[in-house]
Amino acid sequence: MKPFFKAVFATAALTLCSIGAKAEVDPNFYIFICFGQSNMEGAARPEKQDLESPGPRFLLMPAVDDPGRGRKKGVWCEASAPLCRPNTGLTPADWFGRTMIKTLPENIRVGVIHVAIGGIHIQGFLKDSIASYVQKAPGWMKPMLQAYDNDPYERIISLAKLAQKDGVIKGILMHQGESNTGDPKWAGMVKKVYDDMLGDLQLKPEEVPLLAGEVVQANGKGQCVAMNKLINELPKTLHTSQVISSTGCSNGPDNLHFDAAGYRELGTRYGEKMLELLGYQVVTPFEVPADAKTAETTIPGNEFPKVDKDGRAYFRLVAPQAREAVVDICSKQYPMRRDEKGVWCAVTDPLVEGFHYYFMNIGGVNFIDPATETFFGCNRQSGGIEIPEGPEGDYYRPQVGTPKGQVRSIYYYAASTNEWRHAMVYTPAGYEKGKKKYPVLYLQHGMGEDETGWAKQGHMQHIMDNAIAKGEAVPMIVVMESGDIKAPFNFAGGGSNRQGFSDYGASFYKVMINDLIPYIDSNFRTLTDRDHRAMAGLSWGGHQTFDIVLQHMDLFSYMGAFSGAIFGLDPDTAYDGVLKDGEAFNKRIHYLFLHCGSEENFGTDRLAQSLRDRGIKVDYQVSQGTHHEWLTWRRGLHLFIPHLFK
């Protein structure tokens, strides 16, 4: 019996009798070489699920001694993080192994040999350049090189030869390239390392593929994302290589290393690709808890998306020909998993209550989930999902027995811009049956949204109906226009966004004053004096409210901004000084309301205080626990309207 197997038997926690009982090679013991730099070494702190061993079917042959964990170089042990060296982190190899044993038959075991050094160039694994590379290596890298006796390649080969006495090498996993970003010779050097390994271990290339993972993408902001072009072209040079996509794999704040969830996903993809190459059908079950319910934003006739009691969203997409798919919710990407029928599924982290825009993505192209209603947001038509509140959200839900108003779609001609324009107009319950005249609230949406936003995403009509029915708000007409802010603003070169001198959306200002207000007053029964006219808006709509109202105080007497994009306002100089004299301002504006979410840090509190310092009466309120989102703005509108026209 070999000495290293005696050491394994001496460890009471291990039950590796099947290894020690046989001196011959076990064809059902699949061994994989894992090498590379920091992302293979592991830069994320392992979490509880990573530290628990999956059992004796997933083994590690340590490349260095780790006395603290009872590990000895060259002696098989159960695999759990960290796999590389003491004080390293979670790596793709961890969840590669877990994915493998989850699908492989029970009689097959998986072993990994793991050698990686943070920051190392591919030259550090080339036999003919290792010595010179070590001499020139930076001081911080030298202790890591010394852990492998200054020859990481030789350490791989010596351990692999030892492992070949017990099992069969089935593949090589590599994650390297960040230090060689843009190097046109990289692919050739990878091929040289691969060829050397196969030659030294007497392996056949058709039986031992190399799997190479992409580097961190970070939505195009990865520090080395340009390297992915070379990685994706590697199969042109090394025909037995396979590229593992990092699309949707989450990363740490440095945009260079994956976070724990990203390593799990990337490792799972390594495992699924290897299983496919080995001829195994990978089935990824999609379990949905019994409490999950079809989202209210789902198109009738579809079961998904669903939402569970904890706010997790579940998505499903049928795309048999897709290689990978992602759900993108507010720029956070969730990789989808594929089953044997080509059905892709994903589950999110718990999402905050309220409305969320989202897209699906295949091959880098965003598209709208065909199972969801569409909403104009993010400067285009988008998918959307509602994470429901409890009974506290009833103020924006239709209620049985509550009289319902109407939301009308109108087109009007704007002579100011020589074009036909579209707006939405809410009229309160009973409007069409009487002759009563009503005050008017002009209500604006935010950047990248349109005139339908307040009705579709904001449920404005239900907020109004319920508040009016309870006597909390007076019946009023509400007018919503696009405001010319559907397209994004080019902050780098798009002109001024200073209060009173805005370029973005400023084309709407003359339309509102010269065309929209006259049209509404001519075609609806309105009270046309300033005491019965208000304006409010969310985000950039709040900015527009300040620009329009404070330069036309002869037309408005109420104003509000929900998460208003009002930055750097100097009350002493802005708008020709109308904010400088608080007493005079308070005589003209009957009510000024500022509102924001507690989590968005939009500076609304500082704006409110700067106005109060001038003696201006400001009602400033905060939506607890919400960000820059529709739930914040629904709450803002609900708090604002009871103060109007009273």
Side-chain angles (χ1 to χ4, degrees), residues 120-252:
I120 196 169
H121 291 64
I122 193 63
Q123 292 91 327
F125 293 99
L126 283 170
K127 289 197 295 185
D128 57 0
S129 65
I130 290 174
S132 60
Y133 185 84
V134 170
Q135 287 183 344
K136 299 176 182 178
W140 54 264
M141 187 185 292
K142 291 188 180 297
M144 294 184 281
L145 289 164
Q146 290 168 2
Y148 303 116
D149 294 330
N150 290 322
D151 195 337
Y153 177 84
E154 192 283 330
R155 182 63 54 89
I156 292 172
I157 298 303
S158 62
L159 293 175
K161 288 181 177 179
L162 195 61
Q164 282 180 307
K165 298 177 182 179
D166 306 307
V168 181
I169 295 176
K170 290 285 190 177
I172 300 171
L173 279 59
M174 180 186 75
H175 197 284
Q176 196 280 332
E178 292 92 340
S179 294
N180 289 87
T181 298
D183 186 348
K185 298 180 180 179
W186 176 80
M189 290 186 283
V190 171
K191 185 177 186 302
K192 181 66 168 60
V193 174
Y194 174 77
D195 290 343
D196 286 346
M197 286 185 180
L198 267 57
D200 289 339
L201 298 172
Q202 299 182 10
L203 300 171
K204 298 178 180 179
E206 63 272 17
E207 296 177 354
V208 185
L210 179 136
L211 275 58
E214 291 183 332
V215 302
V216 164
Q217 296 193 26
N219 295 321
K221 298 179 181 179
Q223 288 196 34
C224 303
V225 70
M227 185 62 191
N228 283 338
K229 184 177 187 296
L230 294 180
I231 294 173
N232 279 286
E233 292 176 350
L234 180 61
K236 295 179 181 179
T237 301
L238 180 55
H239 302 304
T240 55
S241 64
Q242 299 283 335
V243 176
I244 309 303
S245 171
S246 65
T247 299
C249 293
S250 52
N251 56 275

Side-chain angles (χ1 to χ4, degrees), residues 481-498:
E481 226 267 17
S482 75
D484 295 340
I485 56 173
K486 294 169 70 172
F489 177 61
N490 179 5
F491 285 95
S496 173
N497 66 341
R498 186 160 53 100

